[in-house]
Amino acid sequence: MPAPVPRQRAIPAAEGGQAPAAAPNGGSAQDSSEARGTAPRAADPSGNTTDRAGTAPDRAETAAHTHLTLLLIEDDPGGSPIVPELLDPSGKPIRVRTARNLTEAERLLTDDVHCILLDLALPAPGRAGDDELAVLKHVLELAPRHAVLALTGADDAERGAEAVRVGAQDYLVRDELDGRLLSRAIRYAVERKRSDSAERRLAEGRVRAQENRRLERGLLPTPLLDGSPLRFAARYRPGRSRALLGGDFYDVVRTPDGTVHAMIGDVCGHGPDEAALGVELRIAWRALTLAGLCGDQLLGTLQQVLEHERPDDEIFATLCTVDIAPDGRRAGLCLAGHPSPLLARPGHPARLLPYDNNGPALGLLPGARWPRMQVELGAEWSLMLYTDGLIEGRVGDTGERLGQDGMVEMIRRQLSEGLRGEKLLRTAVNEVRDLNGGELTDDVAVLLLDRAV
């Protein structure tokens, strides 16, 4: 026998701006039949459900003509009905469900409920007796995204006003209820809740955008190249199709001895945690580099930082570091699971630097080592460091990835067209995006250092 599949709780109709169609059976057994003007139903002692007037409603007819749904929570649904016949703005009946207590209310609180009408006199199980609004607070916790109307007695207006301050959309006096007043109050409460929810989502979006900008500033620092003849350019394009930050980061600093150190890295995964870890690694790299560490010693220390700061043991980071001698003619290269840089020199085709001694990514192997390779650059050159987002995009409809070979051919062609510096990087990233047929799924970071004679 197959296991029942639980129904997922979606955005309530009150917040989502629409009323889902009712189920073929008309939804809950306690839905009312206002389409015919009959009163809501109550459960008899045997557990069967009947109308307050004692007749079974035509639930299919009710569902077909209902746009709004109200959940009434009162302590005496079997007594005199407090909810008169309700109509929405189009003249169609508003569907009413009734619950005698909070347990029943939780069962009847499905996604197509727009508004809750709560009798503040209802007892609140398990709550402190001196809290007059305990039942309301319980309902607000139970249904944080639904509109709520509080129902009070004629002499309890102050309690109703306090209910609004606590979180209800409005309050109504029991003895003053009529169909027109209640119908209007329901529509007002639903629209106010939608407006409040939209404003909350907008505010949350602004906060996330501010956090993203702060993280991006940490990932993409201002280079420290005072006194160096090298020219610097960089390009960063976030993979916005996910609307999340990635973990790409880079940095460039010049130490007092005249050596220029450059780094680019990528934390696996996408999101604020990965971006924050990338910021930590970049700042640690800059501090360790300015303190005099280099090569294997530097990468080993960075691995310790990653192992202590990562949120999950499976998180790792790739890294490429280059230290360029003060004369600018040679460099040391360390690769930790990262693509090798591209070197371009006048009179020579652009090529990838050797990557035979590529070490593992940071965080994969405890006690790993990262050999430092010596590379001859020459008198005049351009050195491009990049993350794998630049080479993992698709090429047209073939489904094949651009890859390092495709990137090298592309850069060679763009160099032959006279592109240099920032213009070269901008053109390269845009062309990769165009070849992919749209925005790339991964972040792209590219860094370029040039030495001209």
Side-chain angles (χ1 to χ4, degrees):
M1 179 178 179
V5 179
R7 182 178 57 80
Q8 295 182 348
R9 174 65 62 90
I11 296 176
E15 183 173 345
Q18 60 183 355
N25 290 332
S28 166
Q30 295 194 15
D31 297 339
S32 70
S33 55
E34 296 81 353
R36 300 198 317 276
T38 57
R41 291 167 287 158
D44 62 25
S46 64
N48 298 322
T49 302
T50 63
D51 288 340
R52 288 180 178 169
T55 60
D58 185 347
R59 291 175 295 181
E61 179 184 349
T62 301
H65 294 83
T66 299
H67 281 200
L68 289 176
T69 301
L70 173 72
L71 175 59
L72 169 63
I73 310 176
E74 60 162 328
D75 59 354
D76 187 22
S80 301
I82 65 171
V83 176
E85 181 177 355
L86 304 176
L87 300 177
D88 68 12
S90 64
K92 296 180 180 179
I94 295 177
R95 184 180 183 180
V96 179
R97 297 176 182 173
T98 59
R100 295 170 299 182
N101 51 53
L102 297 179
T103 302
E104 286 187 8
E106 184 172 5
R107 179 173 58 83
L108 296 175
L109 188 62
T110 53
D111 299 327
D112 57 338
V113 170
H114 294 77
C115 185
I116 299 171
L117 178 59
L118 172 66
D119 185 355
L120 294 182
L122 188 74
R127 295 280 180 156
D130 57 349
D131 189 351
E132 295 184 345
L133 296 177
V135 64
L136 173 63
K137 295 175 182 178
H138 186 91
V139 169
L140 292 175
E141 293 175 2
L142 183 67
R145 296 182 295 178
H146 287 75
V148 177
L149 290 171
L151 188 63
T152 69
D155 300 327
D156 213 3
E158 182 58 35
R159 189 180 183 188
E162 181 64 24
V164 174
R165 287 191 288 269
V166 169
Q169 273 59 60
D170 202 350
Y171 77 93
L172 301 169
V173 177
R174 177 189 295 265
D175 296 338
E176 299 176 358
L177 281 184
D178 60 47
R180 185 176 179 181
L181 173 64
L182 183 54
S183 297
R184 186 173 62 180
I186 292 171
R187 297 196 299 271
Y188 168 79
V190 169
E191 292 305 323
R192 181 175 177 181
K193 187 64 178 182
R194 288 174 181 166
S195 177
D196 292 344
S197 298
E199 185 176 349
R200 185 192 69 248
R201 290 194 296 269
L202 180 61
E204 291 172 350
R206 288 172 178 166
V207 171
R208 285 194 297 270
Q210 292 172 356
E211 292 174 348
N212 286 354
R213 285 194 293 271
R214 285 195 292 269
L215 284 171
E216 286 178 1
R217 285 196 296 270
L219 292 167
L220 315 176
T222 301
L224 299 180
L225 283 174
D226 292 345
S228 172
L230 301 183
R231 294 193 300 265
F232 168 84
R235 190 76 175 171
Y236 176 71
R237 181 190 290 271
R240 290 306 188 194
S241 63
R242 297 175 314 276
L244 292 173
L245 285 170
D248 292 8
F249 56 97
Y250 62 79
D251 204 352
V252 178
V253 299
R254 180 177 182 266
T255 49
D257 63 355
T259 302
V260 172
H261 303 260
M263 171 272 291
I264 196 165
D266 184 2
V267 177
C268 72
H270 307 282
D273 288 342
E274 289 75 13
L277 182 56
V279 172
E280 292 181 85
L281 291 175
R282 185 200 65 76
I283 294 173
W285 177 88
R286 175 175 282 201
L288 294 170
T289 299
L290 293 175
L293 275 68
C294 185
D296 182 72
Q297 186 181 13
L298 172 60
L299 291 176
T301 307
L302 284 179
Q303 173 157 285
Q304 294 180 35
V305 173
L306 182 145
E307 289 173 345
H308 285 89
E309 297 296 331
R310 61 186 175 185
D312 188 285
D313 289 344
E314 296 183 357
I315 297 294
F316 63 89
T318 66
L319 200 69
C320 169
T321 67
V322 176
D323 55 278
I324 302 170
D327 63 8
R329 291 179 169 271
R330 61 189 183 278
L333 170 67
C334 286
L335 296 174
H338 200 88
S340 182
L342 180 144
L343 176 66
R345 296 186 295 174
H348 298 81
R351 64 180 178 87
L352 297 175
L353 293 182
Y355 51 89
D356 296 338
N357 291 327
N358 193 350
L362 302 181
L364 288 184
L365 298 177
R369 304 298 299 273
W370 295 271
R372 178 177 177 273
M373 296 172 282
Q374 190 74 17
V375 179
E376 294 296 325
L377 301 177
E380 186 174 355
W381 47 264
S382 295
L383 187 64
M384 188 178 84
L385 285 64
Y386 53 92
T387 58
D388 58 8
L390 189 67
I391 59 178
E392 291 189 348
R394 305 292 179 177
V395 180
D397 298 330
T398 64
E400 297 181 359
R401 297 190 183 275
L402 177 64
Q404 287 182 291
D405 292 340
M407 181 204 66
V408 170
E409 292 299 322
M410 179 186 70
I411 297 297
R412 285 176 178 174
R413 172 172 46 79
Q414 293 171 349
L415 288 171
S416 68
E417 296 170 356
L419 299 178
R420 298 292 186 275
E422 175 65 29
K423 190 173 182 180
L424 171 65
L425 298 188
R426 182 172 61 253
T427 303
V429 172
N430 289 340
E431 182 170 334
V432 169
R433 181 184 60 84
D434 293 341
L435 290 172
N436 190 61
E439 290 295 338
L440 300 163
T441 58
D442 198 3
D443 295 357
V444 176
V446 192
L447 182 157
L448 186 69
L449 291 172
D450 291 303
R451 184 176 189 269
V453 178

